[in-house]
Amino acid sequence: MVFIKRILASLINILLLILIVLIIYPIFKHFEIELDNKIFYLISYTIAYFLPILLFRSTVGLKILKVEINSTPKLLLKYFIYYLIISNFLGEYCSILSELFNLQELSLTIISIEVTLLLIHLMMFVLSGGKYNLLDFILNITHASKYFQRTNEKRLIIWLSFCYLVFFMVFLADRSNIIDYIKSLTSPNSKYDISNYYPAEIFENYGIIRAEKFEESNKILISYDSLSIAQDKILVQKTIYVTINKGVNEYILRRKELCNNLIYYSSINDYLGKIYEDVDQTKIVLIYILRNTFLSGLSSTYLYYYDNKDPNGQVYGGVNLDSLIKSYNSYPETYMKTISNIINVDVEKLNERISKDGHIAFSDYEKSIIENAPNSKFPFPYIIKSLPFDSIKPSAGKLYAFPNRTVAAEMLENSTTSTARTIEAINLRNKLYYNYFYKPTR
């Protein structure tokens, strides 16, 4: 019974906190009051938790469901610790220590500890039937009439053994290749990096460079490389992710300046890293975040491209997919007419020969005629068109996150998702390649 009551009490408290946030955030925004995230959290937590504890000796949820506690000061301390965790105060402090003492592994260790403590916190709450969680156990807070012995030797030994076991497993998984292996299954040809040099004195006026990604894929279209348009070809693409400020979002000249600077320093980094010849295309993802409410916001994403091996290369908006798809759809008809003229067979009869896998059956005599014909190679009849830089419009999206959380992860996931038109073009290209180019006389 205590287990269910405490869960319901937590839900009541969380809903109260959200309600308070939704009330006071528009008020601050209306009066143009800008507060640090930790201060805003402190005000919200004070109204939702600290004041009720001081006035009623309990939280609102515990008071409504009549769950008694043995110590008001300890309960106040418990929710203050929750505030320090949620407001990321402890995380920022650990980050400062990591930078001061150059402890590169500290952040990974902190993540391992956080995961371990969270697991222990939840396990203890479930196994005790809702009587206590990790913080309750440490602070000796009682939520039931039956008092639990915090210092019982057997229980303490079991608890410590469980803590060390869970921590060891999480720590081992973090230090081993298990996590990297799992990530490689979802994105086997991708590698993210942010270690390259982009001068802060130049790029701080545009925004923040979040990450780089190197990817080998057959889903890359390059205007300079006609084979990427006609063949199922593996290419290397480098993507640079940047969150931009309001000025860059609103003025195209600022975006063009940023892209040119990115390409310049990206090329230097590739040259120094001896991967200059490996990169076929550089993709630039510019994202502007406009927060509307405390919990949500809007994003504008610009996509630009640069063909690294084009001697006259400039940043552009990518291949014109509408024109490309139209050309793909018209090619089978052109191909059938050409074959019909070479072997002197009606197009209707050729269509009857098409097998289930899309290939045409030819006799040995017809194959020899086709192979010796002047236009037997059937080049792809398409003049590749590119979208000018100035023609690119941003794609809009929605974000749901707390202000103190980074949007980098969500940004990467959203911006790397292929559009429906790109997928359509790739599928048509591959179908043409395997049906008309790869084995045209099967």
Short mmCIF file of all heavy atoms in Angstrom, two decimals, residues 202-233:
data_model
loop_
_atom_site.label_atom_id
_atom_site.label_comp_id
_atom_site.label_asym_id
_atom_site.label_seq_id
_atom_site.Cartn_x
_atom_site.Cartn_y
_atom_site.Cartn_z
N ILE A 202 36.89 33.22 -34.33
CA ILE A 202 36.20 33.39 -35.61
C ILE A 202 34.77 32.87 -35.53
O ILE A 202 33.83 33.55 -35.94
CB ILE A 202 36.97 32.65 -36.73
CG1 ILE A 202 38.30 33.35 -36.98
CG2 ILE A 202 36.13 32.60 -38.02
CD1 ILE A 202 39.15 32.68 -38.04
N PHE A 203 34.59 31.70 -34.96
CA PHE A 203 33.29 31.04 -35.03
C PHE A 203 32.35 31.40 -33.88
O PHE A 203 31.16 31.10 -33.95
CB PHE A 203 33.48 29.52 -35.09
CG PHE A 203 34.06 29.05 -36.38
CD1 PHE A 203 35.42 28.80 -36.50
CD2 PHE A 203 33.27 28.90 -37.50
CE1 PHE A 203 35.97 28.37 -37.69
CE2 PHE A 203 33.80 28.47 -38.71
CZ PHE A 203 35.16 28.21 -38.81
N GLU A 204 32.86 32.06 -32.83
CA GLU A 204 31.97 32.43 -31.74
C GLU A 204 30.95 33.49 -32.16
O GLU A 204 29.92 33.66 -31.50
CB GLU A 204 32.79 32.94 -30.55
CG GLU A 204 33.56 34.22 -30.83
CD GLU A 204 34.41 34.65 -29.66
OE1 GLU A 204 34.39 33.94 -28.64
OE2 GLU A 204 35.10 35.68 -29.76
N ASN A 205 31.22 34.18 -33.25
CA ASN A 205 30.27 35.17 -33.75
C ASN A 205 29.14 34.55 -34.57
O ASN A 205 28.19 35.25 -34.94
CB ASN A 205 31.01 36.21 -34.61
CG ASN A 205 32.03 37.01 -33.82
OD1 ASN A 205 31.78 37.34 -32.66
ND2 ASN A 205 33.17 37.29 -34.42
N TYR A 206 29.28 33.28 -34.88
CA TYR A 206 28.26 32.59 -35.68
C TYR A 206 27.43 31.61 -34.87
O TYR A 206 26.24 31.46 -35.10
CB TYR A 206 28.92 31.84 -36.83
CG TYR A 206 29.70 32.71 -37.78
CD1 TYR A 206 31.10 32.77 -37.72
CD2 TYR A 206 29.06 33.48 -38.75
CE1 TYR A 206 31.84 33.55 -38.60
CE2 TYR A 206 29.78 34.27 -39.64
CZ TYR A 206 31.17 34.31 -39.55
OH TYR A 206 31.88 35.09 -40.42
N GLY A 207 28.04 30.94 -33.94
CA GLY A 207 27.33 29.93 -33.16
C GLY A 207 28.31 28.97 -32.51
O GLY A 207 29.45 29.32 -32.22
N ILE A 208 27.86 27.73 -32.31
CA ILE A 208 28.66 26.72 -31.63
C ILE A 208 28.78 25.49 -32.53
O ILE A 208 27.77 24.93 -32.95
CB ILE A 208 28.04 26.30 -30.29
CG1 ILE A 208 27.88 27.52 -29.37
CG2 ILE A 208 28.88 25.23 -29.60
CD1 ILE A 208 27.13 27.20 -28.09
N ILE A 209 30.01 25.06 -32.80
CA ILE A 209 30.24 23.84 -33.57
C ILE A 209 30.05 22.66 -32.64
O ILE A 209 30.79 22.49 -31.66
CB ILE A 209 31.64 23.84 -34.20
CG1 ILE A 209 31.79 25.03 -35.15
CG2 ILE A 209 31.91 22.53 -34.93
CD1 ILE A 209 33.16 25.18 -35.74
N ARG A 210 29.05 21.84 -32.92
CA ARG A 210 28.69 20.75 -32.02
C ARG A 210 29.50 19.48 -32.26
O ARG A 210 30.00 18.86 -31.32
CB ARG A 210 27.20 20.43 -32.17
CG ARG A 210 26.28 21.52 -31.70
CD ARG A 210 26.30 21.63 -30.19
NE ARG A 210 25.35 22.62 -29.71
CZ ARG A 210 25.13 22.87 -28.43
NH1 ARG A 210 25.80 22.22 -27.51
NH2 ARG A 210 24.26 23.79 -28.06
N ALA A 211 29.60 19.05 -33.52
CA ALA A 211 30.25 17.77 -33.79
C ALA A 211 30.52 17.63 -35.28
O ALA A 211 30.03 18.41 -36.11
CB ALA A 211 29.39 16.60 -33.30
N GLU A 212 31.34 16.62 -35.60
CA GLU A 212 31.57 16.21 -36.98
C GLU A 212 31.23 14.73 -37.09
O GLU A 212 31.36 13.98 -36.12
CB GLU A 212 33.03 16.43 -37.39
CG GLU A 212 33.43 17.89 -37.51
CD GLU A 212 34.89 18.03 -37.91
OE1 GLU A 212 35.64 17.05 -37.72
OE2 GLU A 212 35.28 19.09 -38.41
N LYS A 213 30.81 14.33 -38.28
CA LYS A 213 30.54 12.92 -38.51
C LYS A 213 31.14 12.50 -39.84
O LYS A 213 30.98 13.18 -40.85
CB LYS A 213 29.03 12.64 -38.54
CG LYS A 213 28.69 11.17 -38.73
CD LYS A 213 27.20 10.93 -38.89
CE LYS A 213 26.72 11.39 -40.24
NZ LYS A 213 25.32 10.97 -40.51
N PHE A 214 31.85 11.38 -39.82
CA PHE A 214 32.37 10.79 -41.05
C PHE A 214 31.56 9.54 -41.36
O PHE A 214 31.37 8.69 -40.49
CB PHE A 214 33.85 10.44 -40.90
CG PHE A 214 34.74 11.64 -40.81
CD1 PHE A 214 35.00 12.24 -39.60
CD2 PHE A 214 35.31 12.18 -41.95
CE1 PHE A 214 35.83 13.35 -39.50
CE2 PHE A 214 36.12 13.29 -41.87
CZ PHE A 214 36.39 13.89 -40.65
N GLU A 215 31.09 9.44 -42.59
CA GLU A 215 30.20 8.34 -42.95
C GLU A 215 30.52 7.81 -44.33
O GLU A 215 30.72 8.58 -45.28
CB GLU A 215 28.75 8.82 -42.91
CG GLU A 215 27.73 7.75 -43.27
CD GLU A 215 26.32 8.27 -43.21
OE1 GLU A 215 26.16 9.51 -43.20
OE2 GLU A 215 25.38 7.46 -43.19
N GLU A 216 30.61 6.49 -44.44
CA GLU A 216 30.71 5.82 -45.73
C GLU A 216 29.34 5.29 -46.09
O GLU A 216 28.76 4.51 -45.33
CB GLU A 216 31.73 4.68 -45.67
CG GLU A 216 33.15 5.15 -45.43
CD GLU A 216 34.12 3.98 -45.40
OE1 GLU A 216 33.64 2.83 -45.48
OE2 GLU A 216 35.32 4.21 -45.29
N SER A 217 28.82 5.68 -47.25
CA SER A 217 27.46 5.31 -47.58
C SER A 217 27.27 5.31 -49.10
O SER A 217 28.01 5.97 -49.83
CB SER A 217 26.47 6.30 -46.93
OG SER A 217 25.15 6.04 -47.34
N ASN A 218 26.27 4.54 -49.54
CA ASN A 218 25.88 4.55 -50.95
C ASN A 218 24.64 5.42 -51.16
O ASN A 218 23.98 5.31 -52.19
CB ASN A 218 25.62 3.12 -51.45
CG ASN A 218 24.47 2.46 -50.70
OD1 ASN A 218 24.05 2.93 -49.64
ND2 ASN A 218 23.96 1.37 -51.25
N LYS A 219 24.33 6.25 -50.18
CA LYS A 219 23.16 7.12 -50.25
C LYS A 219 23.57 8.59 -50.34
O LYS A 219 22.89 9.47 -49.83
CB LYS A 219 22.27 6.90 -49.04
CG LYS A 219 21.71 5.48 -48.95
CD LYS A 219 20.84 5.30 -47.74
CE LYS A 219 20.31 3.87 -47.67
NZ LYS A 219 19.45 3.64 -46.48
N ILE A 220 24.73 8.83 -50.97
CA ILE A 220 25.25 10.19 -51.10
C ILE A 220 25.23 10.59 -52.56
O ILE A 220 25.74 9.86 -53.43
CB ILE A 220 26.70 10.27 -50.55
CG1 ILE A 220 26.70 9.91 -49.05
CG2 ILE A 220 27.28 11.66 -50.77
CD1 ILE A 220 28.09 9.75 -48.47
N LEU A 221 24.64 11.72 -52.87
CA LEU A 221 24.55 12.25 -54.23
C LEU A 221 25.44 13.47 -54.36
O LEU A 221 25.32 14.43 -53.59
CB LEU A 221 23.10 12.62 -54.57
CG LEU A 221 22.08 11.48 -54.51
CD1 LEU A 221 20.66 12.03 -54.69
CD2 LEU A 221 22.38 10.43 -55.57
N ILE A 222 26.36 13.44 -55.32
CA ILE A 222 27.32 14.52 -55.52
C ILE A 222 27.16 15.04 -56.94
O ILE A 222 27.26 14.27 -57.92
CB ILE A 222 28.76 14.03 -55.28
CG1 ILE A 222 28.91 13.55 -53.84
CG2 ILE A 222 29.76 15.13 -55.58
CD1 ILE A 222 30.28 13.02 -53.51
N SER A 223 26.95 16.33 -57.10
CA SER A 223 26.74 16.90 -58.43
C SER A 223 27.99 16.79 -59.29
O SER A 223 27.89 16.64 -60.51
CB SER A 223 26.31 18.37 -58.29
OG SER A 223 27.34 19.13 -57.67
N TYR A 224 29.17 16.87 -58.68
CA TYR A 224 30.41 16.82 -59.44
C TYR A 224 30.74 15.39 -59.88
O TYR A 224 31.39 15.19 -60.91
CB TYR A 224 31.55 17.38 -58.59
CG TYR A 224 32.91 17.29 -59.24
CD1 TYR A 224 33.22 18.10 -60.33
CD2 TYR A 224 33.88 16.40 -58.78
CE1 TYR A 224 34.47 18.03 -60.94
CE2 TYR A 224 35.12 16.33 -59.37
CZ TYR A 224 35.41 17.14 -60.45
OH TYR A 224 36.64 17.07 -61.05
N ASP A 225 30.30 14.40 -59.14
CA ASP A 225 30.59 13.01 -59.42
C ASP A 225 29.37 12.36 -60.08
O ASP A 225 28.42 11.97 -59.41
CB ASP A 225 30.95 12.27 -58.13
CG ASP A 225 31.44 10.85 -58.37
OD1 ASP A 225 31.35 10.38 -59.52
OD2 ASP A 225 31.92 10.22 -57.42
N SER A 226 29.41 12.22 -61.41
CA SER A 226 28.26 11.68 -62.13
C SER A 226 28.00 10.22 -61.78
O SER A 226 26.87 9.74 -61.90
CB SER A 226 28.48 11.82 -63.65
OG SER A 226 29.66 11.12 -64.04
N LEU A 227 29.02 9.50 -61.32
CA LEU A 227 28.83 8.10 -60.95
C LEU A 227 27.93 7.96 -59.73
O LEU A 227 27.24 6.95 -59.57
CB LEU A 227 30.19 7.43 -60.70
CG LEU A 227 31.10 7.26 -61.91
CD1 LEU A 227 32.38 6.55 -61.52
CD2 LEU A 227 30.40 6.50 -63.03
N SER A 228 27.95 8.95 -58.85
CA SER A 228 27.06 8.89 -57.69
C SER A 228 25.60 9.06 -58.10
O SER A 228 24.70 8.65 -57.37
CB SER A 228 27.43 9.98 -56.68
OG SER A 228 27.09 11.28 -57.15
N ILE A 229 25.39 9.65 -59.29
CA ILE A 229 24.04 9.83 -59.81
C ILE A 229 23.56 8.58 -60.52
O ILE A 229 22.38 8.24 -60.49
CB ILE A 229 23.99 11.04 -60.77
CG1 ILE A 229 24.49 12.31 -60.07
CG2 ILE A 229 22.60 11.25 -61.32
CD1 ILE A 229 23.65 12.74 -58.91
N ALA A 230 24.49 7.85 -61.15
CA ALA A 230 24.10 6.72 -61.99
C ALA A 230 24.39 5.36 -61.38
O ALA A 230 23.83 4.37 -61.82
CB ALA A 230 24.81 6.81 -63.34
N GLN A 231 25.25 5.28 -60.35
CA GLN A 231 25.65 3.99 -59.81
C GLN A 231 25.43 3.90 -58.31
O GLN A 231 25.38 4.93 -57.61
CB GLN A 231 27.13 3.71 -60.11
CG GLN A 231 27.45 3.55 -61.57
CD GLN A 231 28.89 3.17 -61.78
OE1 GLN A 231 29.63 2.89 -60.84
NE2 GLN A 231 29.32 3.16 -63.04
N ASP A 232 25.34 2.68 -57.84
CA ASP A 232 25.25 2.40 -56.40
C ASP A 232 26.67 2.41 -55.84
O ASP A 232 27.28 1.37 -55.62
CB ASP A 232 24.58 1.03 -56.19
CG ASP A 232 24.37 0.73 -54.72
OD1 ASP A 232 24.55 1.64 -53.89
OD2 ASP A 232 24.04 -0.42 -54.41
N LYS A 233 27.18 3.61 -55.58
CA LYS A 233 28.60 3.80 -55.28
C LYS A 233 28.81 4.23 -53.83
O LYS A 233 28.09 5.09 -53.31
CB LYS A 233 29.18 4.87 -56.22
CG LYS A 233 30.66 5.13 -56.05
CD LYS A 233 31.12 6.21 -57.03
CE LYS A 233 32.62 6.49 -56.87
NZ LYS A 233 33.07 7.57 -57.80
#
